[in-house]
């Protein structure tokens, strides 16, 4: 399919999940479609990185379970930074269990994810009960949270991409709950229609990969050619000598690709 050429803002009105609509408007207002994958291992590094890249990003993506000294204060400090710099917090926990279990994983444990994250994500493998469970957790937290379903992955040999029918089935599951699910982790845009947001990991200037199966595409390819909406960049930014400067570069590349796409 041809990439979606409508602006993020023009699509926001059709998005039923309030976090998804907010993300689309925020990207146009702040002029950034960049998400930084903050894959650092201490709370101090995480907060330092969030403060440095905050002015350039739409979303900060975390793996709270890789932070060795995570406490409730880490979440509180992240929320303050998110509100100060106007970005959303995405905890990339990739829930993948039965509904009853994800209620406890999303709401409880050490990380109490739905108490602070704006965006969470889920594999489609367990079936729709996983979304019912996440809905219970979100409703009991009493906050606005949006869910992304993993429709595709960036890693070599991943079964979502290798098995014909997997991605359409994941999309079909997601679009039945538009007030909860606003989009996908995917390698392309347009999945689920223009009211859905695609966020793409595996992004690095120059492309390439790593030794453990990661496969990279450039911001231009992801947003321009593949029509995805948000680039997710980890090592390309947090391993740079100057993460803020690298974030600015990725922001500009992602934004230029979006503006070209909107011109059709
Ligand atoms: P990096 O840019 O350093 O390769 O990091 C990519 C980030 O995106 C990691 O946090 C990883 O967990 C996540 N990710 C991915 O790479 N591929 C996927 O398919 C899904 C992901 O969440």
């Amino acid at each position: 399919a041809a990439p979606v050429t409508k602006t993020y803002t023009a699509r926001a009105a059709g998005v039923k999940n309030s976090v998804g609509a907010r993300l689309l408007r925020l990207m146009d207002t702040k002029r950034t479609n960049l998400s930084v994958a903050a894959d650092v291992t201490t709370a101090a590094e995480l907060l330092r990185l969030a403060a440095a890249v905050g002015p350039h990003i739409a979303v900060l993506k975390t793996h709270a379970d890789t932070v060795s000294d995570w406490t409730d204060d880490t979440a509180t400090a992240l929320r303050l930074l998110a509100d100060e710099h106007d970005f959303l917090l995405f905890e990339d926990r990739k829930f993948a269990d039965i509904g009853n279990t994800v209620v406890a994983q999303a709401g409880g444990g050490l990380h109490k994810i739905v108490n602070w994250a704006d965006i969470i994500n889920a594999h489609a493998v367990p079936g729709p009960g996983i979304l019912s469970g996440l809905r219970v957790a979100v409703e009991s937290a009493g906050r606005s949270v949006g869910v992304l379903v993993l429709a595709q992955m960036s890693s070599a040999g991943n079964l979502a991409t290798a098995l014909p029918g997997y991605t359409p089935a994941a999309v079909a599951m997601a679009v039945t709950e538009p007030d909860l699910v606003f989009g996908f982790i995917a390698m392309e845009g347009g999945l689920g229609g223009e009211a859905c947001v695609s966020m793409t990991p595996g992004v690095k200037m120059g492309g390439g990969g790593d030794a453990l199966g990661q496969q990279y595409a450039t911001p231009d390819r992801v947003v321009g050619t593949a029509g995805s909406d948000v680039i997710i960049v980890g090592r390309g930014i947090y391993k740079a000598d100057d993460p803020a400067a690298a974030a600015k570069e990725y922001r500009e590349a992602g934004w230029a690709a979006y503006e070209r796409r909107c011109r059709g």
Side-chain angles (χ1 to χ4, degrees):
V4 175
T5 54
K6 268 195 187 173
T7 64
Y8 297 137
T9 305
R11 290 160 57 193
V15 177
K16 293 204 170 64
N17 174 266
S18 62
V19 174
R22 185 173 156 216
L23 172 60
L24 285 166
R25 295 198 177 96
L26 182 165
M27 291 197 286
D28 271 344
T29 307
K30 196 170 170 183
R31 298 177 64 81
T32 175
N33 51 20
L34 172 63
S35 171
V36 167
D39 294 339
V40 292
T41 56
T42 66
E45 287 173 283
L46 176 58
L47 297 175
R48 198 160 51 234
L49 180 64
V53 301
H56 296 298
I57 62 175
V59 177
L60 188 81
K61 189 178 82 60
T62 53
H63 282 303
D65 58 0
T66 67
V67 175
S68 55
D69 57 348
W70 182 279
T71 66
D72 290 348
D73 291 344
T74 315
T76 304
L78 277 179
R79 275 257 50 101
L80 283 173
L81 285 166
D83 296 339
E84 178 189 346
H85 294 291
D86 200 18
F87 59 77
L88 300 179
L89 295 175
F90 169 16
E91 168 50 36
D92 186 8
R93 169 65 179 74
K94 298 187 181 71
F95 297 103
D97 215 316
I98 61 167
N100 186 62
T101 299
V102 300
V103 174
Q105 290 174 323
L110 272 180
H111 301 110
K112 306 174 199 66
I113 292 166
V114 291
N115 287 355
W116 53 269
D118 301 297
I119 303 171
I120 58 178
N121 58 350
H123 280 294
V125 170
I130 192 170
L131 298 180
S132 308
L134 292 176
R135 181 185 294 280
V136 169
V138 166
E139 284 176 0
S140 52
R143 297 178 56 245
S144 298
V145 176
V147 174
L148 298 172
V149 166
L150 285 113
Q152 295 164 334
M153 292 191 73
S154 63
S155 41
N158 78 83
L159 300 185
T161 311
L163 298 179
Y166 187 92
T167 297
V171 171
M173 192 178 118
V175 297
T176 60
E177 309 213 30
D179 60 323
L180 183 69
V181 180
F182 71 92
F184 303 97
I185 295 296
M187 301 299 111
E188 61 188 309
L191 299 178
E194 62 188 30
C196 289
V197 177
S198 277
M199 297 185 52
T200 300
V203 178
K204 199 170 205 179
M205 302 291 190
D210 71 9
L212 299 174
Q214 178 66 297
Q215 307 175 111
Y216 289 115
T218 63
D220 191 57
R221 178 157 191 88
V222 167
V223 176
T225 313
S228 183
D229 298 307
V230 179
I231 54 171
I232 300 174
V233 183
R235 283 164 282 184
I237 290 176
Y238 71 78
K239 291 253 191 214
D241 292 338
D242 183 345
K248 183 166 180 288
E249 272 179 52
Y250 277 94
R251 173 203 196 157
E252 286 167 359
W255 196 255
Y258 165 65
E259 289 201 314
R260 271 199 304 281
R261 186 174 105 195
C262 289
R263 286 196 295 269

